[in-house]
Amino acid sequence: MKWTTKTPKYGDVIRVKVKFYYHYGIFVDETSVVQFGMPDNSGVNPDDIEVITTDVDVFRNGGSVETAVFSVGEKLRKNSNEKVVKTALSRLGEKGYNILHNNCEHFVNFCAFGEHESSFVNDVRKEIRRKLNK
């Protein structure tokens, strides 16, 4: 998946840089971005983090919003934008946040592809394995 600064449209996967990581959400419109937690959950009890909607300015958190650009293969696997939004909205209020197993990137990938995964977590795991195998 690649990223651009183009204006998002209904059902797009979006992200914003927060410290050393990205926070992800599903764009509905300027007044509604569905996301698992807030851009910066520092100091928040994971049991209190839930799927919520905010406007795009709250999601932006002072940063720049990037919109996903899908490869041909990703487009073939991706749900329709209507299904992406329907799935995201159906999970409002859901809890169970876990940085390694159920974070905001897992959430958007499930909405977009029906796959529960996080490239950030996968990259961290690969780096740990690489260092352990030295």
Side-chain angles (χ1 to χ4, degrees):
M1 185 176 322
K2 296 187 181 201
W3 298 90
T4 183
T5 56
K6 76 175 181 123
T7 303
K9 63 184 187 330
Y10 181 84
D12 278 347
V13 173
I14 59 174
R15 73 180 186 178
V16 64
K17 180 89 169 178
V18 182
K19 300 176 184 171
F20 62 92
Y21 60 91
Y22 287 95
H23 178 65
Y24 296 82
I26 302 296
F27 184 84
V28 179
D29 58 35
E30 290 291 324
T31 63
S32 184
V33 175
V34 186
Q35 58 195 310
F36 198 175
M38 295 293 285
D40 185 358
N41 290 312
S42 300
V44 177
N45 182 333
D47 294 336
D48 295 332
I49 298 171
E50 65 184 81
V51 177
I52 59 170
T53 60
T54 66
D55 65 39
V56 75
D57 288 330
V58 171
F59 176 85
R60 180 180 289 118
N61 194 37
S64 297
V65 173
E66 296 179 327
T67 303
V69 178
F70 300 106
S71 69
V72 172
E74 289 167 333
K75 286 178 184 176
L76 292 172
R77 294 185 0 252
K78 184 182 169 293
N79 293 322
S80 70
N81 285 3
E82 291 75 21
K83 184 170 182 181
V84 170
V85 171
K86 183 178 178 180
T87 301
L89 292 172
S90 75
R91 294 183 61 185
L92 285 173
E94 184 176 298
K95 294 187 175 188
Y97 185 90
N98 180 292
I99 190 70
L100 295 177
H101 305 290
N102 197 31
N103 65 39
C104 60
E105 189 180 11
H106 289 104
F107 169 74
V108 298
N109 281 324
F110 182 79
C111 294
F113 301 107
E115 299 170 359
H116 190 82
E117 67 178 317
S118 166
S119 63
F120 175 77
V121 172
N122 292 343
D123 291 346
V124 168
R125 286 181 178 142
K126 284 179 193 170
E127 183 63 15
I128 290 170
R129 284 187 194 111
R130 187 186 69 75
K131 289 186 178 197
L132 289 173
N133 289 325
K134 278 189 168 186

PDB file of all heavy atoms in Angstrom, residues 99-128:
ATOM      1  N   ILE A  99      -1.945  -3.208  21.524  1.00  0.00           N
ATOM      2  CA  ILE A  99      -0.977  -2.642  20.590  1.00  0.00           C
ATOM      3  C   ILE A  99      -0.419  -3.689  19.622  1.00  0.00           C
ATOM      4  O   ILE A  99      -0.163  -3.393  18.461  1.00  0.00           O
ATOM      5  CB  ILE A  99       0.159  -1.888  21.330  1.00  0.00           C
ATOM      6  CG1 ILE A  99       1.022  -1.094  20.337  1.00  0.00           C
ATOM      7  CG2 ILE A  99       1.016  -2.836  22.148  1.00  0.00           C
ATOM      8  CD1 ILE A  99       0.369   0.077  19.725  1.00  0.00           C
ATOM      9  N   LEU A 100      -0.261  -4.932  20.084  1.00  0.00           N
ATOM     10  CA  LEU A 100       0.319  -5.968  19.231  1.00  0.00           C
ATOM     11  C   LEU A 100      -0.696  -6.796  18.470  1.00  0.00           C
ATOM     12  O   LEU A 100      -0.388  -7.333  17.402  1.00  0.00           O
ATOM     13  CB  LEU A 100       1.188  -6.921  20.064  1.00  0.00           C
ATOM     14  CG  LEU A 100       2.425  -6.315  20.696  1.00  0.00           C
ATOM     15  CD1 LEU A 100       3.142  -7.359  21.546  1.00  0.00           C
ATOM     16  CD2 LEU A 100       3.363  -5.749  19.639  1.00  0.00           C
ATOM     17  N   HIS A 101      -1.897  -6.939  18.991  1.00  0.00           N
ATOM     18  CA  HIS A 101      -2.854  -7.876  18.411  1.00  0.00           C
ATOM     19  C   HIS A 101      -4.164  -7.258  17.931  1.00  0.00           C
ATOM     20  O   HIS A 101      -4.913  -7.917  17.216  1.00  0.00           O
ATOM     21  CB  HIS A 101      -3.181  -8.987  19.416  1.00  0.00           C
ATOM     22  CG  HIS A 101      -1.962  -9.700  19.910  1.00  0.00           C
ATOM     23  ND1 HIS A 101      -1.215 -10.527  19.109  1.00  0.00           N
ATOM     24  CD2 HIS A 101      -1.348  -9.680  21.115  1.00  0.00           C
ATOM     25  CE1 HIS A 101      -0.189 -10.997  19.795  1.00  0.00           C
ATOM     26  NE2 HIS A 101      -0.248 -10.497  21.018  1.00  0.00           N
ATOM     27  N   ASN A 102      -4.451  -6.013  18.306  1.00  0.00           N
ATOM     28  CA  ASN A 102      -5.734  -5.404  17.939  1.00  0.00           C
ATOM     29  C   ASN A 102      -5.631  -3.886  18.029  1.00  0.00           C
ATOM     30  O   ASN A 102      -6.181  -3.266  18.925  1.00  0.00           O
ATOM     31  CB  ASN A 102      -6.844  -5.932  18.857  1.00  0.00           C
ATOM     32  CG  ASN A 102      -8.227  -5.677  18.296  1.00  0.00           C
ATOM     33  OD1 ASN A 102      -8.435  -5.647  17.087  1.00  0.00           O
ATOM     34  ND2 ASN A 102      -9.188  -5.499  19.184  1.00  0.00           N
ATOM     35  N   ASN A 103      -4.901  -3.292  17.084  1.00  0.00           N
ATOM     36  CA  ASN A 103      -4.696  -1.841  17.114  1.00  0.00           C
ATOM     37  C   ASN A 103      -5.449  -1.166  15.956  1.00  0.00           C
ATOM     38  O   ASN A 103      -6.215  -1.818  15.238  1.00  0.00           O
ATOM     39  CB  ASN A 103      -3.196  -1.515  17.109  1.00  0.00           C
ATOM     40  CG  ASN A 103      -2.488  -1.938  15.845  1.00  0.00           C
ATOM     41  OD1 ASN A 103      -3.017  -1.828  14.738  1.00  0.00           O
ATOM     42  ND2 ASN A 103      -1.269  -2.437  15.994  1.00  0.00           N
ATOM     43  N   CYS A 104      -5.231   0.122  15.770  1.00  0.00           N
ATOM     44  CA  CYS A 104      -5.969   0.876  14.752  1.00  0.00           C
ATOM     45  C   CYS A 104      -5.668   0.407  13.331  1.00  0.00           C
ATOM     46  O   CYS A 104      -6.530   0.464  12.457  1.00  0.00           O
ATOM     47  CB  CYS A 104      -5.708   2.377  14.893  1.00  0.00           C
ATOM     48  SG  CYS A 104      -3.974   2.860  14.706  1.00  0.00           S
ATOM     49  N   GLU A 105      -4.454  -0.080  13.084  1.00  0.00           N
ATOM     50  CA  GLU A 105      -4.136  -0.590  11.752  1.00  0.00           C
ATOM     51  C   GLU A 105      -4.822  -1.940  11.515  1.00  0.00           C
ATOM     52  O   GLU A 105      -5.320  -2.197  10.411  1.00  0.00           O
ATOM     53  CB  GLU A 105      -2.630  -0.716  11.558  1.00  0.00           C
ATOM     54  CG  GLU A 105      -2.260  -1.043  10.119  1.00  0.00           C
ATOM     55  CD  GLU A 105      -0.777  -1.173   9.873  1.00  0.00           C
ATOM     56  OE1 GLU A 105       0.017  -1.216  10.843  1.00  0.00           O
ATOM     57  OE2 GLU A 105      -0.401  -1.247   8.688  1.00  0.00           O
ATOM     58  N   HIS A 106      -4.862  -2.797  12.533  1.00  0.00           N
ATOM     59  CA  HIS A 106      -5.636  -4.037  12.422  1.00  0.00           C
ATOM     60  C   HIS A 106      -7.090  -3.696  12.057  1.00  0.00           C
ATOM     61  O   HIS A 106      -7.694  -4.346  11.198  1.00  0.00           O
ATOM     62  CB  HIS A 106      -5.641  -4.809  13.746  1.00  0.00           C
ATOM     63  CG  HIS A 106      -4.351  -5.445  14.110  1.00  0.00           C
ATOM     64  ND1 HIS A 106      -3.525  -4.925  15.079  1.00  0.00           N
ATOM     65  CD2 HIS A 106      -3.741  -6.567  13.669  1.00  0.00           C
ATOM     66  CE1 HIS A 106      -2.470  -5.713  15.219  1.00  0.00           C
ATOM     67  NE2 HIS A 106      -2.568  -6.709  14.370  1.00  0.00           N
ATOM     68  N   PHE A 107      -7.632  -2.693  12.732  1.00  0.00           N
ATOM     69  CA  PHE A 107      -9.022  -2.285  12.525  1.00  0.00           C
ATOM     70  C   PHE A 107      -9.283  -1.880  11.071  1.00  0.00           C
ATOM     71  O   PHE A 107     -10.207  -2.387  10.438  1.00  0.00           O
ATOM     72  CB  PHE A 107      -9.370  -1.127  13.485  1.00  0.00           C
ATOM     73  CG  PHE A 107     -10.670  -0.452  13.181  1.00  0.00           C
ATOM     74  CD1 PHE A 107     -11.870  -1.067  13.483  1.00  0.00           C
ATOM     75  CD2 PHE A 107     -10.695   0.802  12.592  1.00  0.00           C
ATOM     76  CE1 PHE A 107     -13.089  -0.450  13.191  1.00  0.00           C
ATOM     77  CE2 PHE A 107     -11.893   1.432  12.305  1.00  0.00           C
ATOM     78  CZ  PHE A 107     -13.094   0.801  12.604  1.00  0.00           C
ATOM     79  N   VAL A 108      -8.468  -0.976  10.510  1.00  0.00           N
ATOM     80  CA  VAL A 108      -8.735  -0.515   9.141  1.00  0.00           C
ATOM     81  C   VAL A 108      -8.504  -1.625   8.125  1.00  0.00           C
ATOM     82  O   VAL A 108      -9.223  -1.711   7.128  1.00  0.00           O
ATOM     83  CB  VAL A 108      -7.947   0.759   8.752  1.00  0.00           C
ATOM     84  CG1 VAL A 108      -8.343   1.930   9.644  1.00  0.00           C
ATOM     85  CG2 VAL A 108      -6.462   0.547   8.723  1.00  0.00           C
ATOM     86  N   ASN A 109      -7.513  -2.482   8.363  1.00  0.00           N
ATOM     87  CA  ASN A 109      -7.279  -3.593   7.426  1.00  0.00           C
ATOM     88  C   ASN A 109      -8.424  -4.593   7.449  1.00  0.00           C
ATOM     89  O   ASN A 109      -8.779  -5.162   6.417  1.00  0.00           O
ATOM     90  CB  ASN A 109      -5.944  -4.279   7.712  1.00  0.00           C
ATOM     91  CG  ASN A 109      -4.792  -3.487   7.155  1.00  0.00           C
ATOM     92  OD1 ASN A 109      -4.894  -2.874   6.100  1.00  0.00           O
ATOM     93  ND2 ASN A 109      -3.679  -3.483   7.865  1.00  0.00           N
ATOM     94  N   PHE A 110      -9.024  -4.793   8.620  1.00  0.00           N
ATOM     95  CA  PHE A 110     -10.201  -5.662   8.684  1.00  0.00           C
ATOM     96  C   PHE A 110     -11.358  -5.030   7.913  1.00  0.00           C
ATOM     97  O   PHE A 110     -12.049  -5.712   7.154  1.00  0.00           O
ATOM     98  CB  PHE A 110     -10.608  -5.951  10.129  1.00  0.00           C
ATOM     99  CG  PHE A 110     -11.780  -6.883  10.201  1.00  0.00           C
ATOM    100  CD1 PHE A 110     -11.602  -8.248  10.037  1.00  0.00           C
ATOM    101  CD2 PHE A 110     -13.056  -6.395  10.375  1.00  0.00           C
ATOM    102  CE1 PHE A 110     -12.687  -9.121  10.052  1.00  0.00           C
ATOM    103  CE2 PHE A 110     -14.152  -7.248  10.394  1.00  0.00           C
ATOM    104  CZ  PHE A 110     -13.967  -8.614  10.235  1.00  0.00           C
ATOM    105  N   CYS A 111     -11.573  -3.741   8.101  1.00  0.00           N
ATOM    106  CA  CYS A 111     -12.658  -3.052   7.391  1.00  0.00           C
ATOM    107  C   CYS A 111     -12.436  -3.091   5.881  1.00  0.00           C
ATOM    108  O   CYS A 111     -13.368  -3.349   5.115  1.00  0.00           O
ATOM    109  CB  CYS A 111     -12.777  -1.603   7.852  1.00  0.00           C
ATOM    110  SG  CYS A 111     -13.286  -1.413   9.571  1.00  0.00           S
ATOM    111  N   ALA A 112     -11.210  -2.845   5.440  1.00  0.00           N
ATOM    112  CA  ALA A 112     -10.907  -2.759   4.008  1.00  0.00           C
ATOM    113  C   ALA A 112     -10.790  -4.117   3.327  1.00  0.00           C
ATOM    114  O   ALA A 112     -11.259  -4.289   2.203  1.00  0.00           O
ATOM    115  CB  ALA A 112      -9.626  -1.950   3.791  1.00  0.00           C
ATOM    116  N   PHE A 113     -10.149  -5.077   3.998  1.00  0.00           N
ATOM    117  CA  PHE A 113      -9.827  -6.351   3.356  1.00  0.00           C
ATOM    118  C   PHE A 113     -10.409  -7.584   4.043  1.00  0.00           C
ATOM    119  O   PHE A 113     -10.269  -8.694   3.535  1.00  0.00           O
ATOM    120  CB  PHE A 113      -8.300  -6.540   3.294  1.00  0.00           C
ATOM    121  CG  PHE A 113      -7.590  -5.468   2.540  1.00  0.00           C
ATOM    122  CD1 PHE A 113      -6.842  -4.515   3.212  1.00  0.00           C
ATOM    123  CD2 PHE A 113      -7.655  -5.403   1.155  1.00  0.00           C
ATOM    124  CE1 PHE A 113      -6.171  -3.514   2.523  1.00  0.00           C
ATOM    125  CE2 PHE A 113      -6.983  -4.413   0.455  1.00  0.00           C
ATOM    126  CZ  PHE A 113      -6.237  -3.461   1.144  1.00  0.00           C
ATOM    127  N   GLY A 114     -10.973  -7.405   5.234  1.00  0.00           N
ATOM    128  CA  GLY A 114     -11.424  -8.558   5.999  1.00  0.00           C
ATOM    129  C   GLY A 114     -10.258  -9.312   6.613  1.00  0.00           C
ATOM    130  O   GLY A 114     -10.403 -10.464   7.005  1.00  0.00           O
ATOM    131  N   GLU A 115      -9.092  -8.663   6.661  1.00  0.00           N
ATOM    132  CA  GLU A 115      -7.875  -9.278   7.201  1.00  0.00           C
ATOM    133  C   GLU A 115      -7.419  -8.507   8.428  1.00  0.00           C
ATOM    134  O   GLU A 115      -7.295  -7.285   8.393  1.00  0.00           O
ATOM    135  CB  GLU A 115      -6.758  -9.265   6.151  1.00  0.00           C
ATOM    136  CG  GLU A 115      -7.108 -10.044   4.907  1.00  0.00           C
ATOM    137  CD  GLU A 115      -6.112  -9.830   3.780  1.00  0.00           C
ATOM    138  OE1 GLU A 115      -5.151  -9.056   3.948  1.00  0.00           O
ATOM    139  OE2 GLU A 115      -6.317 -10.432   2.712  1.00  0.00           O
ATOM    140  N   HIS A 116      -7.159  -9.219   9.479  1.00  0.00           N
ATOM    141  CA  HIS A 116      -6.768  -8.621  10.753  1.00  0.00           C
ATOM    142  C   HIS A 116      -5.245  -8.625  10.843  1.00  0.00           C
ATOM    143  O   HIS A 116      -4.651  -9.581  11.335  1.00  0.00           O
ATOM    144  CB  HIS A 116      -7.402  -9.432  11.895  1.00  0.00           C
ATOM    145  CG  HIS A 116      -7.292  -8.803  13.221  1.00  0.00           C
ATOM    146  ND1 HIS A 116      -8.165  -7.829  13.645  1.00  0.00           N
ATOM    147  CD2 HIS A 116      -6.416  -8.971  14.225  1.00  0.00           C
ATOM    148  CE1 HIS A 116      -7.831  -7.453  14.854  1.00  0.00           C
ATOM    149  NE2 HIS A 116      -6.765  -8.132  15.226  1.00  0.00           N
ATOM    150  N   GLU A 117      -4.605  -7.560  10.294  1.00  0.00           N
ATOM    151  CA  GLU A 117      -3.147  -7.509  10.351  1.00  0.00           C
ATOM    152  C   GLU A 117      -2.646  -6.075  10.439  1.00  0.00           C
ATOM    153  O   GLU A 117      -3.365  -5.133  10.153  1.00  0.00           O
ATOM    154  CB  GLU A 117      -2.516  -8.240   9.170  1.00  0.00           C
ATOM    155  CG  GLU A 117      -2.745  -7.606   7.833  1.00  0.00           C
ATOM    156  CD  GLU A 117      -2.038  -8.365   6.718  1.00  0.00           C
ATOM    157  OE1 GLU A 117      -0.878  -8.760   6.906  1.00  0.00           O
ATOM    158  OE2 GLU A 117      -2.655  -8.553   5.676  1.00  0.00           O
ATOM    159  N   SER A 118      -1.371  -5.968  10.839  1.00  0.00           N
ATOM    160  CA  SER A 118      -0.736  -4.668  11.003  1.00  0.00           C
ATOM    161  C   SER A 118       0.683  -4.737  10.460  1.00  0.00           C
ATOM    162  O   SER A 118       1.496  -5.523  10.953  1.00  0.00           O
ATOM    163  CB  SER A 118      -0.706  -4.286  12.496  1.00  0.00           C
ATOM    164  OG  SER A 118       0.177  -3.208  12.722  1.00  0.00           O
ATOM    165  N   SER A 119       0.984  -3.941   9.447  1.00  0.00           N
ATOM    166  CA  SER A 119       2.342  -3.932   8.889  1.00  0.00           C
ATOM    167  C   SER A 119       3.342  -3.429   9.924  1.00  0.00           C
ATOM    168  O   SER A 119       4.479  -3.899   9.970  1.00  0.00           O
ATOM    169  CB  SER A 119       2.406  -3.085   7.614  1.00  0.00           C
ATOM    170  OG  SER A 119       2.092  -1.739   7.891  1.00  0.00           O
ATOM    171  N   PHE A 120       2.925  -2.495  10.769  1.00  0.00           N
ATOM    172  CA  PHE A 120       3.811  -1.983  11.828  1.00  0.00           C
ATOM    173  C   PHE A 120       4.240  -3.124  12.758  1.00  0.00           C
ATOM    174  O   PHE A 120       5.421  -3.319  13.017  1.00  0.00           O
ATOM    175  CB  PHE A 120       3.113  -0.873  12.623  1.00  0.00           C
ATOM    176  CG  PHE A 120       3.908  -0.378  13.800  1.00  0.00           C
ATOM    177  CD1 PHE A 120       4.974   0.485  13.619  1.00  0.00           C
ATOM    178  CD2 PHE A 120       3.594  -0.778  15.092  1.00  0.00           C
ATOM    179  CE1 PHE A 120       5.722   0.938  14.700  1.00  0.00           C
ATOM    180  CE2 PHE A 120       4.327  -0.331  16.177  1.00  0.00           C
ATOM    181  CZ  PHE A 120       5.396   0.535  15.975  1.00  0.00           C
ATOM    182  N   VAL A 121       3.272  -3.894  13.223  1.00  0.00           N
ATOM    183  CA  VAL A 121       3.574  -5.015  14.124  1.00  0.00           C
ATOM    184  C   VAL A 121       4.402  -6.069  13.392  1.00  0.00           C
ATOM    185  O   VAL A 121       5.375  -6.590  13.935  1.00  0.00           O
ATOM    186  CB  VAL A 121       2.279  -5.619  14.708  1.00  0.00           C
ATOM    187  CG1 VAL A 121       2.568  -6.896  15.482  1.00  0.00           C
ATOM    188  CG2 VAL A 121       1.580  -4.598  15.608  1.00  0.00           C
ATOM    189  N   ASN A 122       4.035  -6.369  12.142  1.00  0.00           N
ATOM    190  CA  ASN A 122       4.794  -7.355  11.368  1.00  0.00           C
ATOM    191  C   ASN A 122       6.246  -6.907  11.186  1.00  0.00           C
ATOM    192  O   ASN A 122       7.172  -7.722  11.296  1.00  0.00           O
ATOM    193  CB  ASN A 122       4.147  -7.601  10.009  1.00  0.00           C
ATOM    194  CG  ASN A 122       2.811  -8.306  10.120  1.00  0.00           C
ATOM    195  OD1 ASN A 122       2.485  -8.897  11.147  1.00  0.00           O
ATOM    196  ND2 ASN A 122       2.016  -8.226   9.071  1.00  0.00           N
ATOM    197  N   ASP A 123       6.465  -5.624  10.912  1.00  0.00           N
ATOM    198  CA  ASP A 123       7.832  -5.101  10.741  1.00  0.00           C
ATOM    199  C   ASP A 123       8.626  -5.188  12.042  1.00  0.00           C
ATOM    200  O   ASP A 123       9.808  -5.526  12.032  1.00  0.00           O
ATOM    201  CB  ASP A 123       7.804  -3.664  10.239  1.00  0.00           C
ATOM    202  CG  ASP A 123       7.305  -3.543   8.806  1.00  0.00           C
ATOM    203  OD1 ASP A 123       7.222  -4.577   8.103  1.00  0.00           O
ATOM    204  OD2 ASP A 123       6.990  -2.412   8.392  1.00  0.00           O
ATOM    205  N   VAL A 124       7.987  -4.887  13.167  1.00  0.00           N
ATOM    206  CA  VAL A 124       8.658  -4.988  14.469  1.00  0.00           C
ATOM    207  C   VAL A 124       9.045  -6.433  14.737  1.00  0.00           C
ATOM    208  O   VAL A 124      10.172  -6.719  15.170  1.00  0.00           O
ATOM    209  CB  VAL A 124       7.770  -4.418  15.598  1.00  0.00           C
ATOM    210  CG1 VAL A 124       8.318  -4.766  16.970  1.00  0.00           C
ATOM    211  CG2 VAL A 124       7.613  -2.911  15.446  1.00  0.00           C
ATOM    212  N   ARG A 125       8.140  -7.358  14.475  1.00  0.00           N
ATOM    213  CA  ARG A 125       8.438  -8.779  14.689  1.00  0.00           C
ATOM    214  C   ARG A 125       9.605  -9.241  13.814  1.00  0.00           C
ATOM    215  O   ARG A 125      10.479  -9.973  14.273  1.00  0.00           O
ATOM    216  CB  ARG A 125       7.200  -9.633  14.401  1.00  0.00           C
ATOM    217  CG  ARG A 125       6.157  -9.532  15.474  1.00  0.00           C
ATOM    218  CD  ARG A 125       4.965 -10.410  15.162  1.00  0.00           C
ATOM    219  NE  ARG A 125       4.000 -10.314  16.231  1.00  0.00           N
ATOM    220  CZ  ARG A 125       2.691 -10.299  16.067  1.00  0.00           C
ATOM    221  NH1 ARG A 125       2.179 -10.403  14.859  1.00  0.00           N
ATOM    222  NH2 ARG A 125       1.883 -10.206  17.097  1.00  0.00           N
ATOM    223  N   LYS A 126       9.624  -8.806  12.548  1.00  0.00           N
ATOM    224  CA  LYS A 126      10.722  -9.169  11.641  1.00  0.00           C
ATOM    225  C   LYS A 126      12.049  -8.633  12.165  1.00  0.00           C
ATOM    226  O   LYS A 126      13.066  -9.327  12.113  1.00  0.00           O
ATOM    227  CB  LYS A 126      10.462  -8.619  10.236  1.00  0.00           C
ATOM    228  CG  LYS A 126       9.438  -9.385   9.456  1.00  0.00           C
ATOM    229  CD  LYS A 126       9.227  -8.747   8.098  1.00  0.00           C
ATOM    230  CE  LYS A 126       7.999  -9.295   7.425  1.00  0.00           C
ATOM    231  NZ  LYS A 126       7.641  -8.554   6.228  1.00  0.00           N
ATOM    232  N   GLU A 127      12.042  -7.414  12.646  1.00  0.00           N
ATOM    233  CA  GLU A 127      13.274  -6.807  13.168  1.00  0.00           C
ATOM    234  C   GLU A 127      13.763  -7.554  14.407  1.00  0.00           C
ATOM    235  O   GLU A 127      14.961  -7.793  14.566  1.00  0.00           O
ATOM    236  CB  GLU A 127      13.042  -5.323  13.480  1.00  0.00           C
ATOM    237  CG  GLU A 127      14.273  -4.592  13.960  1.00  0.00           C
ATOM    238  CD  GLU A 127      15.410  -4.526  12.944  1.00  0.00           C
ATOM    239  OE1 GLU A 127      15.200  -4.795  11.751  1.00  0.00           O
ATOM    240  OE2 GLU A 127      16.549  -4.222  13.369  1.00  0.00           O
ATOM    241  N   ILE A 128      12.865  -7.934  15.281  1.00  0.00           N
ATOM    242  CA  ILE A 128      13.253  -8.696  16.479  1.00  0.00           C
ATOM    243  C   ILE A 128      13.841 -10.045  16.067  1.00  0.00           C
ATOM    244  O   ILE A 128      14.891 -10.446  16.576  1.00  0.00           O
ATOM    245  CB  ILE A 128      12.044  -8.876  17.432  1.00  0.00           C
ATOM    246  CG1 ILE A 128      11.684  -7.532  18.064  1.00  0.00           C
ATOM    247  CG2 ILE A 128      12.347  -9.928  18.504  1.00  0.00           C
ATOM    248  CD1 ILE A 128      10.375  -7.532  18.818  1.00  0.00           C
TER     249      ILE A 128
END
